[in-house]
Amino acid sequence: MDRHIAFEDLHNFRDLGGYSTPDGRRRIRPGLLYRADSLGKLAEGTKDWDRFMSLGIGTVLDLRHPWEAEARGRVPEHPSLAYHNLSIEHRPYDQPSQSPDTAPGPYLSERYLEVAEDGTKEMAAALELIAESAASGTPLVFHCASGKDRTGQLAAMVLTLLGIDEPTVIEDFTLTELASPALLSDWRRRNEGRTPTWPFVGRAPAPVMRLFLTAMRERYRSIDSYVTDTLGLDAKALADSLRASLLEPAPTSWPPLTYRRATPADTTLLVRLRDTAALWQLARGIDQWKPGEKDEAHFRTRMREGEVWLAHTDGHLAGAWELWWDDPAAWGPRPPDAGYVHRLMTTPHTSPPATGRHMLKEAESRIKATGRPYARLDCLTSNPRLRAYYESAGYTVVGEQRAKDGGSGSPYAVTLLEKRL
């Protein structure tokens, strides 16, 4: 599931559904709570408007300043829509003009704290409206300009009250990174093609939300305490209401996985899946993949020189992997006795349990069908969690390559694992 819903002029419109509680028993209902960039870009009579109306949204929370809505437009008026302008930000600040050496984590987290301090009336009203809308079963969307900062703060509040764990709250914030190029392009178009001084315009790196949540604990003890003591709401009653309306039992059965070999038409999808998986890792402090490291040309090369496979369940993407027929960078010169599995990746939160293990078995069956007796793979030596995962799947550590050159220009150490088929 790609959380970004495709529009032509909206770039950061997302469904908050599908995130699971830590015990895995419940998840947020899809199709009830959305976050977005400015809905002022919508116009009646367009495909975007038809797409928006098809979601059945009944309430729009516009978190921008009134002057922003006046200057750049608001969602078109419609009998089915209740519109509320709740400007949670009281001290405007200019991100594009910041010095290039301004670190986004400390800078933005401090601005978010200002919003938490100033916008108490509006934040309380927003949370109450979300609870009321959820209780009625009416879909709601909240948005600001880019769908990143003010929207990200409110999303963090709601997700925390729903019992979603902090790494997932951080991950949800960072998914704006998938829309960053389009958001930056919009800024340039509005500003005569100029490039902003600050290179983090439209960006949402994980340290921003991580620092903000830490600062909220230090100042207010917890989000619950902030809601009760500072916003003047009953945090327990609010959380209970939100959970009763927005959470549903997690699925206990899943359609079987199906597999097909990827084609060049799938390269955009593969890049997005890989970048999404990278953001999942970074939100959990796993320093392995980075968004943007593998482009469409990479996947076309892997299709030409090996194979790339996709896994689906009930028509939805569940994961993918690469299958190489040699890997001299990690394993050196070898006879043609193995297939090499790379970039085993699943869709975060929405793939069926054990999807990675099932894809690994499918890759092994493909290797075995060629008559090669071994499946091989490698993982960063600094990632013992991943090593343990592969060992539990029957792989044995057979060595280490201390200076693998993966094409980035910075050699790194990897653990080599092998399985006899």
Side-chain angles (χ1 to χ4, degrees):
M1 173 183 172
D2 189 338
R3 297 192 172 278
H4 282 85
I5 297 174
F7 288 88
E8 292 181 359
D9 294 321
L10 301 178
H11 311 305
N12 205 12
F13 196 111
R14 295 188 248 146
D15 191 341
L16 285 170
Y19 289 132
S20 296
T21 55
D23 61 11
R25 295 180 180 178
R26 294 188 293 174
R27 69 174 187 176
I28 301 176
R29 298 176 187 269
L32 277 181
L33 188 59
Y34 300 93
R35 53 175 295 173
D37 47 332
S38 174
L39 300 187
K41 293 179 280 187
L42 290 173
E44 291 184 276
T46 64
K47 291 182 179 178
D48 275 3
W49 178 250
D50 292 342
R51 181 76 180 97
F52 175 77
M53 294 300 291
S54 73
L55 299 175
I57 290 170
T59 302
V60 174
L61 302 186
D62 186 343
L63 305 178
R64 297 174 299 167
H65 294 276
W67 58 262
E68 289 180 275
E70 179 70 23
R72 295 184 184 163
R74 46 152 286 184
V75 67
E77 293 187 24
H78 192 273
S80 67
L81 292 176
Y83 173 79
H84 303 269
N85 186 198
L86 298 170
S87 178
I88 62 174
E89 178 185 276
H90 290 204
R91 286 179 260 182
Y93 55 100
D94 186 7
Q95 292 188 33
S97 66
Q98 295 302 306
S99 168
D101 59 0
T102 299
Y107 174 71
L108 288 177
S109 63
E110 288 174 8
R111 304 290 79 72
Y112 295 1
L113 278 175
E114 291 175 355
V115 170
E117 179 182 342
D118 299 340
T120 53
K121 178 181 176 181
E122 294 82 4
M123 186 69 78
L127 290 172
E128 288 180 316
L129 283 167
I130 289 172
E132 291 171 9
S133 180
S136 71
T138 304
L140 174 147
V141 60
F142 54 95
H143 76 89
C144 55
S146 64
K148 175 175 76 79
D149 300 307
R150 290 163 286 187
T151 297
Q153 273 189 264
L154 182 55
M157 296 282 180
V158 175
L159 291 174
T160 301
L161 289 167
L162 285 169
I164 305 303
D165 64 16
E166 185 167 307
T168 302
V169 174
I170 295 170
E171 176 193 355
D172 179 73
F173 174 77
T174 66
L175 288 177
T176 287
E177 293 278 296
L178 300 177
S180 292
L183 294 172
L184 178 58
S185 178
D186 273 2
W187 188 92
R188 286 173 170 159
R189 187 163 50 252
R190 293 194 307 268
N191 291 274
E192 302 176 338
R194 293 187 291 111
T195 296
T197 303
W198 200 44
F200 293 97
V201 168
R203 299 285 308 280
V208 175
M209 183 54 65
R210 188 175 289 117
L211 286 172
F212 169 64
L213 294 174
T214 299
M216 287 292 287
R217 282 193 297 272
E218 292 173 350
R219 181 173 296 185
Y220 300 104
R221 300 196 314 279
S222 68
I223 295 297
D224 282 6
S225 296
Y226 170 75
V227 169
T228 297
D229 300 336
T230 303
L231 299 189
L233 303 176
D234 184 332
K236 184 180 184 305
L238 179 62
D240 288 346
S241 175
L242 289 170
R243 294 177 189 190
S245 303
L246 289 174
L247 296 182
E248 65 180 7
T252 56
S253 62
W254 301 78
L257 292 170
T258 59
Y259 306 99
R260 71 169 175 86
R261 193 166 172 177
T263 70
D266 297 310
T267 54
T268 300
L269 179 68
L270 286 161
V271 170
R272 195 168 184 87
L273 174 59
R274 200 255 180 205
D275 286 350
T276 301
L279 292 170
W280 182 94
Q281 293 177 8
L282 290 171
R284 288 156 181 80
I286 302 170
D287 187 15
Q288 182 156 336
W289 291 359
K290 305 291 191 302
E293 286 179 325
K294 303 298 179 186
D295 58 11
E296 293 185 24
H298 164 85
F299 288 103
R300 284 194 293 269
T301 299
R302 297 323 321 162
M303 292 174 197
R304 185 172 61 252
E305 298 182 0
E307 299 176 3
V308 181
W309 287 81
L310 300 174
H312 289 83
T313 180
D314 198 26
H316 299 288
L317 182 67
W321 73 91
E322 298 174 11
L323 190 54
W324 301 13
W325 300 118
D326 65 350
D327 186 4
W331 293 82
R334 294 270 182 162
D337 62 349
Y340 301 83
V341 181
H342 284 273
R343 260 162 291 286
L344 187 76
M345 47 192 177
T346 63
T347 54
H349 308 289
T350 58
S351 60
T355 291
R357 188 64 57 85
H358 289 307
M359 293 195 303
L360 198 54
K361 288 182 179 178
E362 183 69 16
E364 292 164 2
S365 69
R366 173 63 184 148
I367 296 167
K368 189 173 181 179
T370 68
R372 300 178 185 226
Y374 293 101
R376 294 185 180 131
L377 46 81
D378 67 76
C379 66
L380 280 179
T381 301
S382 58
N383 191 343
R385 178 178 173 182
L386 187 56
R387 168 180 165 169
Y389 174 82
Y390 287 127
E391 287 180 319
S392 69
Y395 286 78
T396 301
V397 174
V398 295
E400 184 178 21
Q401 166 60 271
R402 295 183 179 275
K404 177 181 176 180
D405 183 359
S408 65
S410 300
Y412 49 91
V414 295
T415 300
L416 306 176
L417 298 101
E418 178 179 88
K419 182 178 183 179
R420 178 88 183 189
L421 302 178

